[in-house]
Amino acid sequence: MLSTLHWLLLQLPPELAHNLGILALKIYQLLLRLKGKNIPPRGNLRPPFLSSFSIKEMGNRIGLAAGFDKDAEAFLGLSMMGFGFIEVGTVTPLPQEGNPKPRLWRVPSGGLINQMGFNNCGVTQFKKNLKKNRPYCSIPILANIGKNKDTPNDKALDDYDILFKELSTEVDGFVVNLSSPNTEGLRALQTVSFLEKLELIAPKKPIWIKLAPDLETQFLTELFIKIKNSHVFSGCVLTNTSKAIALNDYGKTEGGYSGEKLFQRSLQCVRLCREMFQSEKTIIAVGGIHSLLQAQQMRDAGADLIEVYTGFVYHGPQLIKDLQAGLPIIRD
Ligand SMILES: Cc1cc2nc3c(=O)[nH]c(=O)nc-3n(C[C@H](O)[C@H](O)[C@H](O)COP(=O)(O)O)c2cc1C
């Protein structure tokens, strides 16, 4: 039944398929809540999340990457598919429509190019959505946060400040998105000096910094060293989509590529990051992971946790089962 639904969705235009998938998950969630069973109330299931992060808090090592549940409206249904944690968002302070459609394309082989532009409901509605379902959700939820399109870079810190303040009591941790290629100027915030400013406003929560695969090694190294030496940041999410692959392999001057072709570059970034971090901090690897072998390669390169997006789109819930079976649940 699930695999037939998944197959049908893949025959439709990608954004329509996505929206129908989210709708189906919302109906499923409603049924779960009405039935009221099989969902252990949060809090009874696990201890409160620690301000100093430990990966033992995660249900398992496999997470859903940001951008799938942008408005935090389907994570309860998604959590029933076996994810150990879920990133919701990217959320911005004010609601945004995002770029004009079409803005999401399937490309060969096993890839997507998206130019969504942080379409989201804004933090007020996002918070309401979290409040509705989070009490029933037994896995950690991380909020991926970004600045509004109209916020100039010299005011970007104010946006992150609003989001930290609004969401600190609602989520288990944050991912600061400085790397989406679809918000003009955002990637210019991937600097040591911006990270230093973020440290001053950060709440006492686990916080990861999400970086782009297109950064040069020298810049990546500087950022990794800064994050390693920070008392505030828990680590990195590596990586976001690639503008370079979208351009070089598909001739797309706008948007970012995700999927199989991103894997090698994301793997390199994870390896370099682990070299810099040594045994400290937590690396969340994401980018082109479509199989257990690739997930294991990421683990061998130094990733603590694994996230998927495009692989989940193409392979459906079975991929989560396969990864979960191969990368066992975290125990003491
Ligand atoms: C349609 C789409 C929307 C995305 N939206 C976001 C987003 O809002 N915030 C973010 O940090 N990453 C976003 N991403 C990037 C993913 O979280 C992930 O970093 C990237 O797709 C690489 O992983 P993958 O190859 O497994 O898809 C998006 C990706 C796609 C395909």
Side-chain angles (χ1 to χ4, degrees):
M1 157 85 173
L2 207 55
S3 55
T4 313
L5 182 67
H6 178 236
W7 181 86
L8 281 172
L9 288 177
L10 284 177
Q11 312 312 305
L12 298 173
E15 191 165 349
L16 174 64
H18 181 84
N19 293 340
L20 289 176
I22 295 285
L23 181 67
L25 284 161
K26 283 167 75 175
I27 295 169
Y28 174 50
Q29 278 181 177
L30 186 68
L31 295 175
L32 283 173
R33 284 205 312 270
L34 286 175
K35 253 169 111 187
K37 53 182 185 185
N38 295 334
I39 317 170
R42 198 193 145 79
N44 286 349
L45 188 78
R46 61 185 189 82
F49 211 64
L50 304 172
S51 60
S52 65
F53 172 73
S54 149
I55 53 169
K56 290 179 201 125
E57 302 289 327
M58 302 302 192
N60 63 59
R61 290 186 195 271
I62 319 303
L64 179 62
F68 195 93
D69 188 7
K70 281 184 183 278
D71 291 338
E73 53 184 1
F75 62 87
L76 174 59
L78 285 160
S79 73
M80 304 305 272
M81 292 185 182
F83 289 106
F85 63 102
I86 291 176
E87 250 188 75
V88 289
T90 296
V91 61
T92 55
L94 299 173
Q96 286 191 166
E97 299 238 315
N99 290 320
K101 295 176 188 170
R103 52 194 181 178
L104 177 60
W105 298 268
R106 294 187 192 100
V107 291
S109 34
L112 294 171
I113 290 182
N114 94 81
Q115 197 186 321
M116 305 298 285
F118 287 171
N119 53 308
N120 78 101
C121 62
V123 72
T124 307
Q125 183 60 44
F126 189 87
K127 206 169 155 177
K128 284 186 192 154
N129 296 346
L130 277 167
K131 277 190 193 296
K132 191 158 121 194
N133 285 307
R134 192 161 168 260
Y136 300 96
C137 185
S138 58
I139 58 169
I141 301 298
L142 309 179
N144 181 304
I145 57 175
K147 77 169 190 77
N148 273 114
K149 178 184 172 197
D150 294 336
T151 306
N153 275 12
D154 60 355
K155 296 271 185 300
L157 199 67
D158 298 345
D159 277 12
Y160 289 103
D161 195 30
I162 292 170
L163 294 158
F164 279 144
K165 287 195 172 115
E166 288 289 326
L167 296 173
S168 269
T169 53
E170 309 301 329
V171 292
D172 300 289
F174 289 94
V175 175
V176 179
N177 184 358
L178 302 177
S179 47
S180 167
N182 302 316
T183 295
E184 211 183 316
L186 183 76
R187 299 191 312 163
L189 298 175
Q190 300 176 112
T191 60
V192 171
S193 69
F194 192 71
L195 292 184
E196 281 166 354
K197 289 181 193 144
L198 273 175
E199 280 178 315
L200 301 176
I201 60 160
K204 283 199 168 24
K205 283 269 168 179
I207 298 173
W208 286 266
I209 306 296
K210 185 164 181 180
L211 299 173
D214 304 326
L215 281 173
E216 282 172 25
T217 304
Q218 185 202 332
F219 288 112
L220 275 175
T221 308
E222 282 170 16
L223 294 167
F224 293 154
I225 291 171
K226 168 68 208 158
I227 292 165
K228 182 191 175 187
N229 294 327
S230 168
H231 296 300
V232 170
F233 302 128
S234 294
C236 289
V237 178
L238 298 166
T239 66
N240 214 314
T241 56
S242 169
K243 221 173 150 44
I245 300 177
L247 179 66
N248 298 336
D249 293 27
Y250 299 96
K252 284 265 190 191
T253 50
E254 303 292 333
Y257 171 90
S258 57
E260 297 259 25
K261 288 187 184 178
L262 182 55
F263 178 73
Q264 285 304 332
R265 178 59 187 154
S266 295
L267 185 68
Q268 274 176 355
C269 294
V270 167
R271 197 171 283 131
L272 177 68
C273 186
R274 182 47 73 203
E275 255 174 53
M276 295 298 137
F277 281 1
Q278 300 282 300
S279 58
E280 290 177 46
K281 306 287 179 187
T282 308
I283 301 176
I284 304 180
V286 56
I289 300 167
H290 288 227
S291 69
L292 177 59
L293 179 65
Q294 288 169 318
Q296 279 162 339
Q297 282 176 274
M298 284 292 193
R299 289 276 296 131
D300 292 344
D304 302 285
L305 300 167
I306 303 291
E307 281 183 350
V308 291
Y309 189 131
T310 307
F312 178 56
V313 168
Y314 282 101
H315 302 286
Q318 186 58 43
L319 176 66
I320 313 313
K321 291 201 180 79
D322 294 348
L323 298 186
Q324 208 192 12
L327 303 177
I329 291 177
I330 304 154
R331 298 251 182 255
D332 284 331

